[in-house]
Amino acid sequence: MDEYREILYRKASSNLPDWPKGPNDFYVAILSHEKHVRSCEDKDLLWLKVRGKHTVAQVRTFHNKRVGRKVLLYDGRSVVSDDTQIRYLNHHRGEVVVFWTRRDDGRAPLTGLSATSVNSRTMETS
């Protein structure tokens, strides 16, 4: 697994929100584009409760409105495709999904993580 994902997951899972969560819900932690994965603290994470069927596009749209800036969501070192459902990003099987962000300057990302590649990776690790 990717080092950035591991670092963020450890930080996020050690300080989960105290919100009730249903069986199809996930805690989603998003790190600001102004912070670096290695030097961030628990307080730098924006927490959401998201249904597993929701897409990255829905999460990103909500986040963009909340912070007033367009960002790209990264899982590990890859930009996540907008059509990927949150449930397919549950790499640690703990119902916690973590993203770090970069400002979206309108250029196409060099690498991307699609729902298909997430599904195949998830099936390989099962």
Side-chain angles (χ1 to χ4, degrees):
M1 287 203 188
D2 191 281
E3 182 181 10
Y4 278 18
R5 181 188 306 136
E6 294 299 316
I7 292 169
L8 274 181
Y9 181 80
R10 272 194 309 270
K11 290 181 182 190
S13 62
S14 68
N15 193 22
L16 295 174
D18 188 22
W19 304 331
K21 184 175 70 64
N24 297 317
D25 294 338
F26 292 82
Y27 291 130
V28 175
I30 303 174
L31 181 64
S32 168
H33 68 280
E34 297 172 340
K35 302 291 181 175
H36 191 274
V37 171
R38 293 186 191 279
S39 60
C40 72
E41 299 177 20
D42 296 339
K43 66 181 182 179
D44 298 325
L45 297 171
L46 169 69
W47 285 97
L48 306 172
K49 182 172 69 171
V50 180
R51 295 225 182 261
K53 67 180 180 180
H54 289 150
T55 64
V56 168
Q58 291 169 300
V59 171
R60 189 167 61 88
T61 298
F62 177 82
H63 181 266
N64 290 347
K65 287 179 184 176
R66 184 149 184 194
V67 300
R69 175 174 302 280
K70 288 185 178 182
V71 297
L72 298 171
L73 297 179
Y74 283 77
D75 175 36
R77 294 192 183 263
S78 301
V79 175
V80 185
S81 173
D82 278 347
D83 63 346
T84 304
Q85 291 182 337
I86 294 301
R87 64 180 165 204
Y88 294 122
L89 298 170
N90 186 25
H91 302 295
H92 293 89
R93 307 288 191 260
E95 285 74 43
V96 176
V97 174
V98 293
F99 295 113
W100 61 279
T101 60
R102 284 199 178 157
R103 289 190 333 187
D104 183 358
D105 58 9
R107 292 183 290 173
L110 296 176
T111 62
L113 189 61
S114 68
T116 305
S117 64
V118 170
N119 290 342
S120 63
R121 186 179 324 158
T122 301
M123 293 181 73
E124 289 172 7
T125 60
S126 297

